[in-house]
Amino acid sequence: MPSLDRRRFLRDAAATTALVSAGGLAATATPAQAAPPAATPAPTTRRTGAVSFRWWGTAGWRVDNGDRTVLVDPYLSRIDTGLFTGAFRTTTPLTVRPDVIDPRVDRATTVLVTHTHWDHFMDVPYIAKRTGARVFGTLTAYHLGLAYGVPSTQLSPVKGGEVLDFGDHTVEVVGSLHSRNPSYSLAFPGVRVTPPPQPATIADLPEGDTLGYLLRVERGPSVYFTGASDVAERNLTGLAPDVAMVAMQNATTTGDYLPRLLAGLDYPKVVVPVHYDNFETALKNPPPVAPTDRTRLDDMIAAVRRISPRSRVLVPEYETAYHF
């Protein structure tokens, strides 16, 4: 695969600006467009066009690249667990909502799972069985997929270090870490080393180890996806993505999270905050943000601008097509 022309990306990015309002949410955004290749490509039956990135809330993304669709942590059911009202119920039933998923997931080629908490994995088995997509994730994701009846031929366990070649794009798997809560712990720790009974409640979906993914698109951008707000920065050496989808920190117990992440990624040209929204509400713009999370979001934007002043900050809205 030809390497990305970073100078072209910088030139195009300089021509546009992501505007961020005083409240921290994006008012408007005119993302960079990739310049066309110098030579006319050979005729092909594959559809071509700009790669689009649509945020589905939490850490979820839909990436459309020609006739291929890559999903990252697609969580659309957005069930109410009481997490945002102070009455968190660990016994909340896992309730997949086809009425919300089906209109948005008409197809999927690949699903990338960062970790297996409910707000990242819960809808994945349904989507995999509906679309035939191949699911990449930890060994825990593999065993949970089997528990839901996803065929083993659609499940690919990865652990970090793999570089997966799909022809017009590659996916590099990166070992990562889950964030810590104010008690220096995390919700539902643990892994699954054999297929368990089919999960029934959100507590049945453990963290299961955490991964990041670097998507490199031929004649397009390189984009790094995080699903949680901690980082094993030594695993980021050499990735140098153009764009980083960065999960917002919800506690200060992880030291120097943003400085270590941004330095490890070689200060991406575009930083996109994710996992800042109230993901237990309908998927409607503007994204709902809890008051404490709005403060954290504003602090994050300010910190990115201080740590990496040449980075653009683009705060996404739901289901808006961004082209980098």
Side-chain angles (χ1 to χ4, degrees):
M1 176 182 295
S3 61
L4 180 70
D5 185 338
R6 292 178 65 84
R7 287 176 298 177
R8 185 188 74 204
F9 182 90
L10 291 175
R11 180 198 66 203
D12 294 338
T16 59
T17 303
L19 301 179
V20 181
S21 69
L25 295 178
T28 59
T30 309
Q33 298 283 346
T40 302
T44 177
T45 57
R46 178 172 292 160
R47 294 187 315 211
T48 59
V51 182
S52 66
F53 297 77
R54 290 176 172 84
W55 184 47
W56 275 345
T58 324
W61 289 89
R62 171 174 175 152
V63 182
D64 287 297
N65 179 26
D67 58 1
R68 301 188 184 193
T69 296
V70 177
L71 306 182
V72 182
D73 285 0
Y75 175 62
L76 293 163
S77 293
R78 298 167 69 90
I79 60 175
D80 181 8
T81 70
L83 181 62
F84 290 86
T85 61
F88 184 49
R89 300 179 300 278
T90 61
T91 57
T92 301
L94 295 166
T95 307
V96 174
R97 297 186 55 194
D99 61 312
V100 176
I101 298 171
D102 291 355
R104 293 175 169 86
V105 186
D106 57 321
R107 62 177 189 173
T109 312
T110 305
V111 179
L112 308 177
V113 178
T114 66
H115 64 285
T116 51
H117 277 153
W118 85 96
D119 54 327
H120 298 257
F121 181 80
M122 189 184 89
D123 291 341
V124 169
Y126 174 81
I127 289 171
K129 288 190 284 188
R130 181 172 183 269
T131 65
R134 176 166 292 279
V135 178
F136 293 87
T138 62
L139 188 62
T140 295
Y142 175 83
H143 287 304
L144 287 171
L146 292 178
Y148 276 101
V150 179
S152 61
T153 52
Q154 287 180 241
L155 299 169
S156 295
V158 289
K159 62 178 63 176
E162 298 90 345
V163 179
L164 310 168
D165 191 343
F166 296 93
D168 57 358
H169 69 278
T170 63
V171 173
E172 184 168 350
V173 187
V174 181
S176 192
L177 298 168
H178 197 277
S179 50
R180 298 279 158 173
N181 61 29
S183 300
Y184 297 89
S185 188
L186 70 158
F188 313 140
V191 298
R192 296 289 182 264
V193 296
T194 58
Q198 181 169 319
T201 71
I202 62 171
D204 295 330
L205 294 179
E207 177 252 344
D209 295 328
T210 295
L211 301 170
Y213 294 94
L214 178 70
L215 173 69
R216 293 188 183 275
V217 179
E218 185 176 9
R219 296 190 299 273
S222 59
V223 180
Y224 185 66
F225 295 92
T226 70
S229 55
D230 200 351
V231 57
E233 68 268 28
R234 293 170 181 82
N235 292 342
L236 305 179
T237 302
L239 297 184
D242 300 305
V243 183
M245 313 305 194
V246 177
M248 185 183 73
Q249 204 171 13
N250 69 350
T252 59
T253 47
T254 296
D256 296 326
Y257 164 58
L258 283 174
R260 292 188 294 118
L261 176 65
L262 295 173
L265 293 175
D266 195 21
Y267 304 103
K269 304 305 176 290
V270 182
V271 175
V272 182
V274 297
H275 222 323
Y276 69 79
D277 62 321
N278 179 343
F279 50 83
E280 300 192 350
T281 61
L283 199 69
K284 294 180 180 179
N285 286 315
V289 186
T292 55
D293 287 338
R294 184 176 292 277
T295 299
R296 293 188 185 106
L297 177 60
D298 290 341
D299 290 345
M300 176 181 178
I301 293 169
V304 171
R305 289 173 172 165
R306 182 179 65 256
I307 298 162
S308 184
R310 294 187 180 181
S311 297
R312 282 197 302 135
V313 179
L314 190 158
V315 184
E317 291 198 332
Y318 298 143
E319 303 190 280
T320 300
Y322 297 102
H323 305 277
F324 299 103

